[in-house]
């Protein structure tokens, strides 16, 4: 028997597996998410479990709500949906829309398509307003669609489309929806705590985020903000939302002063989110936005020195996620596996219209530091010539560091 066979035999024995722990490789995660979680967040999550109806836990919920209000810049309801960002997405669509309702979905990437898939399951009639990947949705097209569909109940547009690396002007789209009597919802999974999100000023009715990106917590919880108007709408709809678990009015009743029992809250995730929000307060929200801007600027300078470009309209490039066009002949899978296997660096692949044509580099939360940019540029400089694309040696890191040299202050992570 070979040593591998005997190892496989032992692995099949559940008693053997139960006594083994498994360590995971140390990675630099520069993909579209998750990003690295702060060690302080991970420590906070290891606190003892207490009940989700314990008054001591309610104090933690209050802390989370007040800090979320400051991140969303809102005086209206904030809370969390227990689940990934997609749970926040589905909670919004299933609570704000009823079977037979009409929704306009602004589509400029993969996650907008996911919203449409969800709407179809809900029996909602969808009107698409499309933009090419790498572009924002034209407000005039939204206005035309609203005029042609005066019975629209909800307009949805994604603030930061991670698949396309695009940031949109949400205030304008939201204003148009309201002018035509529709509610407005947006996705801030990739922008929350990394770029300005102004829930009240932009008159958004529902926004959902993710814990795993600029907030630097593990994946699994979706912080959300809900307007008074949207909550009233959910409470007065003709039919109950099809999902009990994702019913925003029931979740709001638990987070409200009466703490009405709903499902078992993921208490450790809430401890982690609380600590993540404390980190945002310590750094300062605006400084954090600036850190994302500066570090992304350094990456762009380094990529330009390598002769690499982006298909995204320069005016609307997202700081958290840089889409990089692959040079002719460079294979996307080969490049990504060399980065992972030789340098332990994860980057993302292209999705939808960008599949096979780009890589996507995420710089979010704890992962958004200059050292990661330098390591990636250095690795690209080594790998690309092997894949048939010659690059100048020694210039990329220098170009990146030059952009940071004048004012390094905002790039420190607390
Ligand atoms: C813009 C956007 N929306 C929604 C999601 C879905 O979030 P999750 O994977 O946490 O469900 C993602 C995930 O990357 C995203 O980038």
């Amino acid at each position: 028997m070979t040593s591998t066979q005997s190892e496989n035999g032992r692995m099949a024995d559940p008693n053997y597996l139960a006594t083994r722990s498994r360590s995971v490789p140390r990675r630099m995660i520069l993909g579209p998410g998750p990003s690295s979680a702060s060690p302080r967040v991970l420590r906070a999550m290891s606190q003892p479990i207490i009940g989700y109806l314990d008054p001591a836990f309610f104090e933690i919920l209050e802390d989370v709500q007040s800090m979320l209000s400051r991140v969303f810049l809102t005086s209206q309801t904030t809370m969390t949906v227990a689940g990934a960002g997609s749970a926040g997405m589905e909670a919004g669509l299933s609570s704000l829309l009823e079977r037979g309702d009409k929704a306009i979905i602004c589509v400029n990437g993969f996650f907008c398509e996911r919203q449409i898939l969800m709407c179809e399951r809900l029996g909602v009639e969808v009107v698409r307003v499309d933009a090419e990947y790498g572009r924002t949705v034209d407000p005039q097209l939204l206005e035309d669609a609203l005029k042609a569909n005066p019975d629209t109940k909800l307009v949805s547009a994604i603030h930061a489309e991670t698949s396309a690396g695009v940031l949109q002007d949400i205030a304008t789209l939201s204003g148009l929806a309201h002018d035509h009597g529709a509610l407005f919802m947006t996705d801030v999974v990739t922008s929350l705590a990394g770029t300005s999100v102004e829930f009240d000023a932009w008159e958004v009715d529902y926004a959902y985020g993710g814990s795993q990106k600029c907030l630097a917590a593990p994946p699994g919880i979706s912080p959300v903000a809900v307007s008074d108007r949207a909550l009233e709408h959910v409470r007065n709809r003709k039919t109950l939302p099809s999902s009990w678990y994702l019913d925003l009015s029931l979740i709001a009743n638990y987070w409200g002063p009466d703490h009405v029992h709903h499902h078992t809250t993921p208490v450790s995730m809430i401890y982690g989110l609380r600590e993540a929000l404390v980190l945002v307060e310590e750094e300062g929200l605006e400084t954090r936005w600036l850190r994302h801007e500066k570090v992304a600027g350094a990456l762009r300078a380094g990529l330009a020195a390598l002769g690499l470009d982006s298909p995204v309209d320069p005016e609307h490039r997202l700081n958290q996620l840089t889409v990089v066009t692959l040079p002719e002949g460079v294979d996307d899978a080969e490049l990504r596996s060399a980065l992972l296997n030789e340098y332990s660096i994860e980057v993302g692949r292209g999705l939808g219209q960008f599949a096979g044509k780009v890589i996507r580099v995420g710089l979010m939360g704890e992962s958004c530091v200059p050292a990661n940019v330098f390591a990636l540029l250095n690795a690209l400089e080594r790998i690309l010539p092997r894949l048939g694309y010659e690059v100048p040696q020694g210039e990329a890191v220098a170009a990146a560091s030059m952009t940071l040299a004048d004012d390094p202050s905002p790039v420190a992570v607390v």
Side-chain angles (χ1 to χ4, degrees):
M1 193 188 276
T2 66
S3 63
T4 313
Q5 279 170 329
S6 79
E7 177 67 4
N8 286 345
R10 282 212 303 273
M11 296 285 275
D13 172 359
N15 293 330
Y16 173 73
L17 278 181
T19 61
R20 294 260 304 192
S21 61
R22 185 185 278 281
S23 58
V24 292
R26 196 177 160 83
R27 301 277 193 225
M28 186 176 285
I29 41 178
L30 304 183
S35 59
S36 304
S38 157
R40 267 178 56 181
V41 170
L42 297 175
R43 255 197 319 275
M45 289 177 69
S46 67
Q47 293 177 95
I49 302 298
I50 59 173
Y52 66 101
L53 295 173
D54 185 324
F57 190 65
F58 296 154
E59 288 177 19
I60 294 175
L61 293 182
E62 272 170 36
D63 292 348
V64 167
Q65 271 186 311
S66 67
M67 288 188 283
L68 276 181
S69 304
R70 292 195 282 278
V71 172
F72 276 105
L73 296 175
T74 181
S75 60
Q76 303 179 81
T77 301
T78 55
M79 56 195 192
T80 65
V81 172
S86 302
M89 184 188 285
E90 203 147 20
L93 295 170
S94 61
S95 298
L96 297 174
L97 291 165
E98 301 189 48
R99 181 166 288 279
D101 278 352
K102 189 181 276 186
I104 296 183
I105 309 287
C106 298
V107 183
N108 68 335
F110 178 86
F111 293 102
C112 311
E113 303 283 357
R114 183 173 295 177
Q115 294 186 343
I116 293 177
L117 294 175
M118 288 179 180
C119 283
E120 286 169 355
R121 288 181 180 220
L122 291 167
V124 165
E125 188 186 335
V126 172
V127 175
R128 301 173 61 110
V129 176
D130 281 279
E132 246 180 84
Y133 272 47
R135 302 277 176 276
T136 53
V137 167
D138 180 349
Q140 186 59 55
L141 293 182
L142 174 59
E143 180 148 33
D144 294 346
L146 281 160
K147 281 186 185 148
N149 297 280
D151 50 346
T152 299
K153 293 282 168 27
L154 176 81
V155 174
S156 177
I158 292 191
H159 184 215
E161 233 308 348
T162 331
S163 66
V166 172
L167 188 71
Q168 297 210 94
D169 170 5
I170 288 304
T172 301
L173 302 176
S174 166
L176 287 170
H178 292 136
D179 289 349
H180 291 265
L183 292 170
F184 182 82
M185 117 174 191
T186 191
D187 174 318
V188 294
V189 169
T190 291
S191 51
L192 189 67
T195 294
S196 107
V197 170
E198 301 181 44
F199 188 84
D200 284 359
W202 298 347
E203 295 189 42
V204 175
D205 290 301
Y206 177 67
Y208 58 93
S211 46
Q212 75 274 29
K213 302 212 184 189
C214 300
L215 283 167
I221 202 160
S222 175
V224 304
V226 196
S227 73
D228 299 342
R229 177 175 41 201
L231 259 188
E232 198 184 304
H233 177 85
V234 184
R235 291 194 167 120
N236 295 312
R237 22 182 304 163
K238 291 197 288 288
T239 57
L240 289 173
S242 59
S243 170
W244 175 88
Y245 183 66
L246 298 174
D247 180 335
L248 288 173
S249 66
L250 298 181
I251 300 171
N253 290 347
Y254 169 70
W255 282 80
D258 297 335
H259 297 297
V260 182
H261 161 260
H262 191 220
H263 59 270
T264 306
T265 309
V267 291
S268 310
M269 286 301 301
I270 297 286
Y271 301 157
L273 180 61
R274 184 189 179 284
E275 189 67 13
L277 290 163
V278 168
L279 282 160
V280 174
E281 302 244 323
E282 285 177 10
E283 183 175 7
L285 187 59
E286 293 187 4
T287 310
R288 198 174 181 93
W289 298 341
L290 193 59
R291 170 160 63 85
H292 284 83
E293 186 184 318
K294 288 251 170 187
V295 177
L299 174 67
R300 286 180 199 134
L303 292 170
L306 292 174
L308 298 174
D309 202 358
S310 171
V312 180
D313 186 1
E315 246 187 279
H316 303 292
R317 282 185 190 161
L318 188 58
N319 292 326
Q320 289 77 11
L321 195 286
T322 298
V323 182
V324 187
T325 308
L326 289 173
E328 200 60 33
V330 172
D331 182 74
D332 141 61
E334 258 187 275
L335 175 59
R336 284 184 295 107
S337 72
L339 283 168
L340 191 69
N341 297 329
E342 296 168 33
Y343 293 86
S344 216
I345 297 176
E346 177 194 286
V347 298
R349 67 195 167 97
L351 290 177
Q353 292 175 18
F354 283 161
K357 298 179 188 154
V358 302
I359 55 167
R360 292 179 303 139
V361 181
L363 291 169
M364 305 174 193
E366 192 81 1
S367 292
C368 178
V369 289
N372 288 355
V373 171
F374 300 152
L376 175 67
L377 291 171
N378 175 59
L380 288 172
E381 199 174 276
R382 298 278 148 179
I383 297 167
L384 285 170
R386 241 176 42 214
L387 301 185
Y389 178 71
E390 288 305 326
V391 294
Q393 295 293 304
E395 290 181 17
V397 170
S401 75
M402 277 303 286
T403 69
L404 300 169
D406 291 341
D407 183 11
S409 55
V411 299
V413 176
V414 192

